[in-house]
Amino acid sequence: MAILDILNYPDPRLYTVAKPVKEVDASIRRLVEDMAQTMYAAPGIGLAATQVNVHLQVIVIDISEDKNGLQVFINPKLVNKCGSQDYEEGCLSVPGVYETVTRAETVTVEALDINGKPFTLEAEGLLAVCIQHEMDHLQGKVFVDYLSQLKQTRIKTRMKKRQREFA
Ligand code: GNR
Ligand code: NI
């Protein structure tokens, strides 16, 4: 297992659209293990492959309290969404920034599990927020993109300054 580097906003590679996984093989299972370890170490409640510069449709999520509820979504498709909710979101690619985003309240997602087996899940609340946040990453979208131009500009400036300080 390995902890992978997470891309930081506004890295242009975060805007890459991920490709579907052709076969859930050993290399994908390895990627999922590394992504899970990276998410737990961060710590975060979700991670999309895009954030570790792998442009395949792979997501890991764990919203459980004791970090023992790993959920894996390969080639996820949103088949239904309903209602709306506001949630103050953060992102491992935009450290230190928390802003409210409006998303669907419940979503139904179809995906493949770690064994390549299809499943359907209906999610609500935080899990629904997280699934939508991660699926956005796979489409090259970051939650900051939903904010006003003024906020986006301020966040870009703050992130670039931060990057210089850490360099
Ligand atoms: O760790 C994370 N927390 C979080 C909080 C509210 C809404 C979404 C998230 S996802 C984020 C991890 C991350 O950046 N995933 O892409
Ligand atoms: Ni994120």
Side-chain angles (χ1 to χ4, degrees):
M1 291 227 281
I3 293 179
L4 309 170
D5 285 332
I6 297 177
L7 298 177
N8 276 314
Y9 180 86
D11 191 308
R13 292 171 291 182
L14 284 171
Y15 293 93
T16 312
V17 177
K19 293 192 169 70
V21 169
K22 287 203 181 109
E23 195 192 342
V24 182
D25 57 13
S27 72
I28 296 297
R29 283 190 285 274
R30 170 70 180 275
L31 172 65
V32 166
E33 277 183 22
D34 290 348
M35 284 174 59
Q37 199 189 8
T38 304
M39 172 183 72
Y40 289 128
I45 58 169
L47 192 70
T50 309
Q51 292 175 277
V52 295
N53 200 30
V54 175
H55 302 288
L56 292 171
Q57 294 174 12
V58 177
I59 290 169
V60 294
I61 292 177
D62 190 343
I63 57 161
S64 73
E65 205 113 298
D66 359 336
K67 304 286 168 205
N68 60 356
L70 184 68
Q71 291 178 284
V72 178
F73 301 83
I74 298 167
N75 299 347
K77 282 183 187 62
L78 221 57
V79 293
N80 195 27
K81 53 181 186 173
C82 210
S84 95
Q85 62 175 326
D86 291 346
Y87 202 94
E88 187 171 278
E89 298 195 12
C91 181
L92 294 173
S93 294
V94 200
V97 173
Y98 302 90
E99 293 282 351
T100 301
V101 177
T102 305
R103 298 191 188 268
E105 161 65 13
T106 64
V107 295
T108 306
V109 59
E110 283 178 5
L112 302 178
D113 68 14
I114 189 69
N115 297 309
K117 192 171 165 278
F119 68 95
T120 304
L121 177 80
E122 191 179 313
E124 60 175 19
L126 177 58
L127 182 57
V129 168
C130 203
I131 288 170
Q132 292 171 84
H133 176 115
E134 305 309 340
M135 287 184 71
D136 271 356
H137 277 303
L138 299 183
Q139 292 302 316
K141 193 160 183 171
V142 181
F143 83 105
V144 173
D145 301 339
Y146 291 106
L147 308 177
S148 69
Q149 276 307 326
L150 178 63
K151 278 189 176 175
Q152 290 186 38
T153 305
R154 284 180 178 159
I155 292 166
K156 270 181 197 149
T157 307
R158 205 190 309 166
M159 289 300 122
K160 283 175 184 162
K161 178 164 180 282
R162 204 189 125 99
Q163 222 112 351
R164 283 199 306 276
E165 285 166 0
F166 280 95

